[in-house]
Amino acid sequence: MSTRAIRCLTQDHIPFEIVHYEHLRKGAGFAALATGFPLERTVKTLVLAAASGRYALALLPGDRQADMRRLAALLAVKRVEMADGAAAERLSGYRVGGISPFGFKQQLPVVMDASLLAHASILINAGRRGMMLRMDPRALRDALGCRVGAIGEPDSHAAH
């Protein structure tokens, strides 16, 4: 099964491997558990809302939570917050729980947590619940033109 994300990566000749799992719950913690992949290498894609109807994406390891002040600074806005699920689905064209940063309906700025670049490979949503992409985080950064920074802090609620 193909998704817009997979078609986008294929068209741009970006290597990836598809990893399937039984999607019973949303969240990077469940995806990491179901795939046997480390949580710190399982990426969550967050849709952020800023003032004036502006949106952005944040890519964080599953064991970290977004630092909204750092994100706002990297995006050069006063404040950001999580977008609601309806806005995230409208902007991405994907369902919450399967949102991929690839193949978005409109191009948004993307901020990536620097810690992801320490790994040889990461897992990120492929655009459908229960389907992930295993890929090089540097290819992810380059393909999306990510701004990179320390945008996450330890998530005390993350399932390890």
Side-chain angles (χ1 to χ4, degrees):
M1 277 200 244
S2 189
T3 65
R4 277 192 330 280
I6 290 169
R7 289 189 294 276
C8 177
L9 290 168
T10 301
Q11 179 181 337
D12 292 341
H13 306 289
I14 299 166
F16 65 89
E17 174 190 332
I18 298 172
V19 176
H20 294 276
Y21 69 98
E22 188 177 4
H23 183 274
L24 301 174
R25 276 197 328 263
K26 291 184 294 192
F30 181 80
L33 192 63
T35 60
F37 212 73
L39 185 58
E40 66 274 9
R41 292 172 50 199
T42 303
V43 181
K44 50 188 175 185
T45 302
L46 307 178
V47 181
L48 306 170
S52 313
R54 292 178 51 200
Y55 292 90
L57 298 178
L59 306 177
L60 288 127
D63 65 344
R64 301 186 77 70
Q65 60 186 6
D67 181 318
M68 295 301 179
R69 281 193 290 258
R70 289 183 193 163
L71 279 164
L74 271 171
L75 292 165
V77 296
K78 285 186 179 181
R79 196 166 93 71
V80 294
E81 62 188 19
M82 291 290 295
D84 65 40
E89 290 184 353
R90 183 182 75 251
L91 290 163
S92 68
Y94 299 119
R95 291 174 62 202
V96 170
I99 293 177
S100 176
F102 299 104
F104 245 65
K105 287 186 165 184
Q106 70 181 84
Q107 193 153 356
L108 300 176
V110 183
V111 181
M112 175 184 201
D113 192 80
S115 69
L116 292 169
L117 295 172
H119 306 294
S121 65
I122 50 93
L123 278 188
I124 192 160
N125 266 312
R128 178 173 291 127
R129 292 174 177 173
M131 186 186 296
M132 304 288 279
L133 303 169
R134 182 178 180 161
M135 61 187 298
D136 183 326
R138 286 155 289 282
L140 168 70
R141 176 198 60 204
D142 297 347
L144 296 172
C146 296
R147 299 171 198 182
V148 177
I151 59 169
E153 54 194 21
D155 185 350
S156 59
H157 298 89
H160 289 279

